[in-house]
Amino acid sequence: TLGGRPPGRPVDHLGNVNVADTAKAFGASRMVLVTSLGCGDSRAYASERLLDAIGEVLLAKTQAEDHLRASGVPHVIVRPGGLVGDPPTGQGALYGDARVHGRITRPDLAAVLLPCLTDRLVLGRTLSAIDRTRLAAPDDTVEFRLTAAA
């Protein structure tokens, strides 16, 4: 639920660092961090338009991702594509490929996040969340399959 650009309060970085540090202090069994396409290794595939609009936010989110990885807290990082306010399509999917682009509805993002709370295969991974019908990706891209097992 953290994000935005309040002046002088970099919640995309420091807010998420605080959450990760608190999760570690309390021995959380898992943390799911939602950032954005254009963070980390996916930045190389981001459009100039996206980088011009929110490049500084993407850097802050990347710092939060890096901190979580280094924290030792069991985690999964999910980078959604462009969020749209349309009704759900039921076509939300996860991809382990930083090259993917596309959009996803907010309800479909929520639907792909739920299994990330329990599925053991996601631990330590960084995944992209895109609607299958709005996916732009290289031909060799495959969907990440969850096991639905804790």
Side-chain angles (χ1 to χ4, degrees):
T1 61
L2 298 174
R5 297 186 232 185
R9 296 173 34 203
V11 295
D12 289 299
H13 173 221
L14 296 180
N16 285 312
V17 164
N18 289 335
V19 172
D21 290 350
T22 302
K24 182 175 183 168
F26 282 92
S29 61
R30 180 175 308 207
M31 181 173 164
V32 178
L33 176 63
V34 178
T35 59
S36 177
L37 285 184
C39 291
D41 59 347
S42 71
R43 187 178 185 89
Y45 307 101
S47 70
E48 286 302 317
R49 182 175 166 214
L50 178 67
L51 295 176
D52 287 345
I54 62 167
E56 160 180 323
V57 170
L58 297 174
L59 288 174
K61 289 176 183 283
T62 297
Q63 290 174 312
E65 288 183 359
D66 293 343
H67 182 82
L68 178 59
R69 284 188 196 98
S71 73
V73 174
H75 67 275
V76 58
I77 297 168
V78 178
R79 296 174 177 160
L83 295 174
V84 292
D86 298 342
T89 67
Q91 293 298 311
L94 296 170
Y95 299 88
D97 191 329
R99 302 172 297 171
V100 300
H101 300 283
R103 298 190 181 282
I104 188 167
T105 69
R106 286 172 174 84
D108 287 327
L109 174 60
V112 299
L113 288 173
L114 282 175
C116 291
L117 296 173
T118 57
D119 194 297
R120 69 177 174 268
L121 281 184
V122 301
L123 289 175
R125 296 186 185 269
T126 300
L127 302 169
S128 301
I130 307 288
D131 186 302
R132 290 177 190 96
T133 65
R134 298 173 176 179
L135 175 68
D139 290 339
D140 62 343
T141 301
V142 294
E143 189 175 319
F144 182 84
R145 297 291 181 174
L146 300 166
T147 63

